[in-house]
Amino acid sequence: MKKLSIWCVVIFTLLVGFISCEEIEELENCPDVTINVDNVAGSAVYRFAAQLNGIEDVRLTWSIDGEEIATGNLDDIASQIFEYQFEEGTYTVCVSVASETCPIEVCKEIVVDIDETNPCPDLFFETRQLDRPNHYKFIADFPGIEETRYEWFINGEVVETDNQNADNYLFWEFSEAGTYEVCIKTETPDCPEGTSYCKVIEVEEVDGNCPELFFLAEQDGDNPAYYFQVEFPNADQVEWLGWFINGELVEDSNNGDNNRFYYQFEPGRYEVCLKTETPDCPQGTSYCKVIEIEGATACPELFFEAEQDGDNPAYYFYPSAFEGIDDVTLEWSVNGDFVGTSTGHNEPFYYQFAPGSYEVCLSVETPDCPQGVTFCKVIEIEETGTSCPELYFNIEQEGDTPGYNFWAEFEGMNDISYEWTINGDVVDSEILDSNERDDYLYYQFGAGTYEICIIAETPDCPNGVIFCKTLVVE
């Protein structure tokens, strides 16, 4: 009996030793993680690159002074490379690796010392991938942007010239997979040799045989939960669909079964993805949306005051101040149509109306509110002694070409003169009683975002009236 007890103790000790060795071996096999820091002396813009070897398909989390900034998977280069624009000060930047066997966090302390004497602007822009893997939005954001004219370049070729006080972003759809260098560049009287800021974008091959996935996200009232509904052509014919949250499969469906998905979240930021693989699309394809649950981020409380311009059917709109308002672009829309931007709470937005009822909305995106927030007011314009024409025009694309047709169509248009403008530049005039008048404009565009307007002044409308539409050409 005594010998049996001794053997039991020996066997138990060996088992514990084997388990302990296995745990130690796992920890010893964890990779070394390093952060490389790139910064031009005196610039507020920093680039951090995480280098990891031996880990696959795990999540990275970047943080600044303990506050989470960006997350992603290692198969997304944006999670390995993190770029940020700082104010002066000392910061601790960390990257964390979410792995059960290798929980790793590596940090770097940086001291940001901005050279205020540098006459060249400290350029910077943010990058966001939109609904498709090859569709991007680039948002310029740097001190002095309101006074700086700059150009967008892709692989060294200019693709758009920014007009001062216009939208500070570029929509771009890459036609082919590959590596692209996207830059903004400027020259100023104080910086005659020019300066630039660039990012490298990796665009993956889009399989033409892969279905274009899409889903709708609807919050369940005030609960921190969402309904997700598959919504794309022939969805019921796809053999398998998987729902992923932050890279982890949480639910799947087969042959169109259960294409509605419900999930309860904790406070935080989540990437919800719908993925599939088919025989014609063996590499798979996905569609993702970011869901923000209150408690992790905070959107500003928007508000604006509306002040009529004397007796004119026009208003000044003054946005109320909120933290960070001077660092973002304020976007304005009227009855759902984008009509312009403003910056800061001291700069009002001005708009000329015709008689009628209008919903005026202010929208903004901030780093802590990436999905954006909107505030709206209804403005009623009554008939007055003066009468401005209610301008309007229709748009039609010329087949699959970059050419577009614009037809004016409003009451009394044959009795007035008016002009066509694109991004503020006059491109055509419709002169009363002119033999060349046709109330029509044809124009060929490059890729970009354009504001097309018709403008008129009449004796009964001496302050003029304008009607605009925004056109995005991909």
Side-chain angles (χ1 to χ4, degrees), residues 39 44 58 98 115 123 125 130 139 152 167 203 214-215 220 241 264 296 301 357 413 444 447 463 469:
N39 166 254
V58 297
D115 182 4
L123 304 181
F125 63 84
L130 301 180
I139 308 165
W152 293 93
D167 304 322
V203 179
F214 184 77
F215 63 82
D220 182 12
L241 288 169
Q264 182 90 22
E301 293 187 10
S357 179
M413 70 180 190
Q444 284 194 325
N463 294 306
K469 287 186 178 182

Side-chain angles (χ1 to χ4, degrees), residues 59-63 67-72 78-79 81-82 269:
R59 295 186 59 233
L60 286 179
T61 300
W62 290 93
S63 64
E67 181 179 351
E68 181 179 321
I69 302 297
T71 62
S79 71
I81 298 176
F82 171 51
R269 183 176 185 271

Side-chain angles (χ1 to χ4, degrees), residues 114-428:
I114 301 174
D115 182 4
E116 302 289 353
T117 64
N118 187 349
C120 294
D122 196 6
L123 304 181
F124 183 73
F125 63 84
E126 297 179 4
T127 303
R128 295 181 188 170
Q129 191 178 58
L130 301 180
D131 54 341
R132 296 182 297 278
N134 59 339
H135 197 194
Y136 282 79
K137 180 180 181 181
F138 303 99
I139 308 165
D141 181 19
F142 55 87
I145 190 171
E146 297 84 2
E147 297 83 27
T148 305
R149 295 184 182 273
Y150 56 91
E151 295 177 319
W152 293 93
F153 290 77
I154 296 180
N155 285 352
E157 296 185 5
V158 64
V159 294
E160 183 171 309
T161 300
D162 171 73
N163 292 317
Q164 191 171 349
N165 297 324
D167 304 322
N168 296 317
Y169 54 78
L170 169 70
F171 286 102
W172 193 262
E173 184 171 2
F174 296 94
S175 58
E176 297 179 355
T179 300
Y180 298 87
E181 185 183 52
V182 180
C183 301
I184 52 176
K185 301 181 181 181
T186 186
E187 294 180 7
T188 69
D190 295 330
C191 183
E193 295 185 0
T195 185
S196 64
Y197 173 76
C198 302
K199 289 185 179 181
V200 174
I201 304 297
E202 299 282 352
V203 179
E204 297 182 356
E205 186 73 42
V206 179
D207 195 326
N209 294 321
C210 292
E212 293 190 11
L213 306 185
F214 184 77
F215 63 82
L216 302 174
E218 179 185 355
Q219 189 169 1
D220 182 12
D222 294 329
N223 299 318
Y226 274 76
Y227 293 98
F228 300 95
Q229 175 66 51
V230 173
E231 192 78 24
F232 62 89
N234 302 319
D236 56 348
Q237 299 178 18
V238 177
E239 293 185 1
W240 176 85
L241 288 169
W243 293 98
F244 291 77
I245 295 180
N246 288 344
E248 296 183 6
L249 177 66
V250 293
E251 188 165 323
D252 56 5
S253 61
N254 296 285
N255 296 318
D257 178 42
N258 192 26
N259 281 343
R260 187 170 172 85
F261 169 50
Y262 183 82
Y263 195 84
Q264 182 90 22
F265 295 91
E266 297 292 332
R269 183 176 185 271
Y270 300 88
E271 185 185 49
V272 180
C273 294
L274 179 65
K275 299 184 180 183
T276 189
E277 294 179 9
T278 68
D280 294 331
C281 181
Q283 300 301 317
T285 186
S286 65
Y287 175 80
C288 303
K289 289 185 177 182
V290 174
I291 300 297
E292 300 281 350
I293 302 300
E294 187 178 353
T297 60
C299 291
E301 293 187 10
L302 298 187
F303 185 78
F304 61 81
E305 298 286 352
E307 178 183 317
Q308 189 169 358
D309 181 14
D311 295 329
N312 298 322
Y315 274 77
Y316 293 97
F317 298 98
Y318 293 88
S320 296
F322 58 84
E323 185 176 355
I325 188 173
D326 294 323
D327 301 323
V328 296
T329 299
L330 309 179
E331 299 185 352
W332 298 88
S333 63
V334 175
N335 288 347
D337 293 325
F338 173 80
V339 292
T341 63
S342 65
T343 56
H345 69 281
N346 292 321
E347 178 187 332
F349 179 71
Y350 186 82
Y351 194 80
Q352 178 92 31
F353 297 92
S357 179
Y358 301 88
E359 184 183 48
V360 180
C361 295
L362 167 63
S363 301
V364 68
E365 296 178 6
T366 71
D368 292 332
C369 183
Q371 300 304 305
V373 63
T374 299
F375 174 79
C376 302
K377 280 187 177 182
V378 174
I379 301 295
E380 302 283 350
I381 305 295
E382 298 180 355
E383 294 282 353
T384 62
T386 60
S387 177
C388 293
E390 295 187 27
L391 307 182
Y392 187 78
F393 62 84
N394 292 306
I395 302 177
E396 181 182 274
Q397 187 175 5
E398 189 84 10
D400 294 329
T401 72
Y404 283 77
N405 301 297
F406 304 90
W407 285 279
E409 185 177 325
F410 57 90
E411 184 177 353
M413 70 180 190
N414 294 324
D415 301 323
I416 65 171
S417 298
Y418 60 93
E419 294 178 326
W420 297 91
T421 68
I422 297 178
N423 286 347
D425 297 327
V426 176
V427 295
D428 196 8

Side-chain angles (χ1 to χ4, degrees), residues 8 52 73 114 244 386-387 391 399 429-430 454:
C8 288
L52 301 91
N73 293 325
I114 301 174
F244 291 77
T386 60
S387 177
L391 307 182
S429 297
E430 307 289 357
I454 50 178

